[in-house]
């Protein structure tokens, strides 16, 4: 049997924190978006990404909308990387490049699996588990990025996708810090 996510005391403390901290709990969509993006490593990327999504960039957006938008975009980008890697493997000219790409393929498969699990946990309000899975996906994506970054122009598109993925993971995780009771129901 699964343990409940919050004990009654924790839930009461969370509610008290939300209602006594106006800078977090009572932000509207635009203020929330700016506050969350200010906590990321790339404000411009975060802001442009989230305002492009009508649910995340709207005036009524909740933190869950921001996290959901980032998670959906991460899944799309990871799938794009998954389709790109076999093409790069076909064109690999050295065994070292081939090995790097195979490692990236394995890392990307782990990231996609973790993103799928994170999405399921997000939809079932298992936020702690979701954050752990996104962190695991980020580590897998970073492993690939570390292998290919600055290793030649033939890796540049995959490196760009992976760098964007890491930023999307960050947006998703930062957004969960702004969750209120409304995001949990």
């Amino acid at each position: 049997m699964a343990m409940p996510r919050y004990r009654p005391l924790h839930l009461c403390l969370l509610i008290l924190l939300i209602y006594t901290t106006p800078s977090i709990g009572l932000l509207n969509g635009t203020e929330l978006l700016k506050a969350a993006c200010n906590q990321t490593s790339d404000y411009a990327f975060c802001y442009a990404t989230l305002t492009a999504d009508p649910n995340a960039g709207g005036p009524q957006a909740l933190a869950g909308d921001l996290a959901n938008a980032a998670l959906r975009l991460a899944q799309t980008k990871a799938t794009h990387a998954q389709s790109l890697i076999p093409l790069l493997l076909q064109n690999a000219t050295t065994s070292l490049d081939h090995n790097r790409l195979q490692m990236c393929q394995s890392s990307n498969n782990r990231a996609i699996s973790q993103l799928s699990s994170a999405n399921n946990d997000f939809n079932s309000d298992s936020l702690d588990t979701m954050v752990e899975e996104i962190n695991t996906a980020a580590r897998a994506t970073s492993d690939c990025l570390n292998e290919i970054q600055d290793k030649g122009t033939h890796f540049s598109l995959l490196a760009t996708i992976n760098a964007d993925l890491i930023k999307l993971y960050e947006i998703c995780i930062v957004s969960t810090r702004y969750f209120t009771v409304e995001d949990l129901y």
Side-chain angles (χ1 to χ4, degrees), residues 102-141:
Q102 284 182 320
M103 193 282 295
C104 282
Q105 192 169 43
S106 176
S107 294
N108 181 259
N109 289 339
R110 280 194 318 272
I112 287 175
S113 174
Q114 291 298 307
L115 288 172
S116 177
S117 295
N119 187 55
N120 291 337
D121 288 328
F122 179 77
N123 291 327
S124 67
D125 295 332
S126 300
L127 298 179
D128 292 335
T129 305
M130 180 193 82
V131 168
E132 289 173 23
E133 290 160 344
I134 291 172
N135 279 322
T136 301
R139 284 189 296 276
T141 302

Side-chain angles (χ1 to χ4, degrees), residues 21-70:
T21 311
S23 64
I24 293 177
L26 302 176
L27 296 177
N28 71 25
T30 303
E31 291 170 344
L32 174 64
L33 187 142
K34 289 178 181 178
C37 289
N38 271 328
Q39 299 300 311
T40 67
S41 59
D42 190 339
Y43 179 90
F45 177 86
C46 177
Y47 189 83
T49 298
L50 294 178
T51 55
D53 185 293
N55 293 321
Q60 302 303 314
L62 299 172
D65 298 323
L66 306 182
N68 188 39

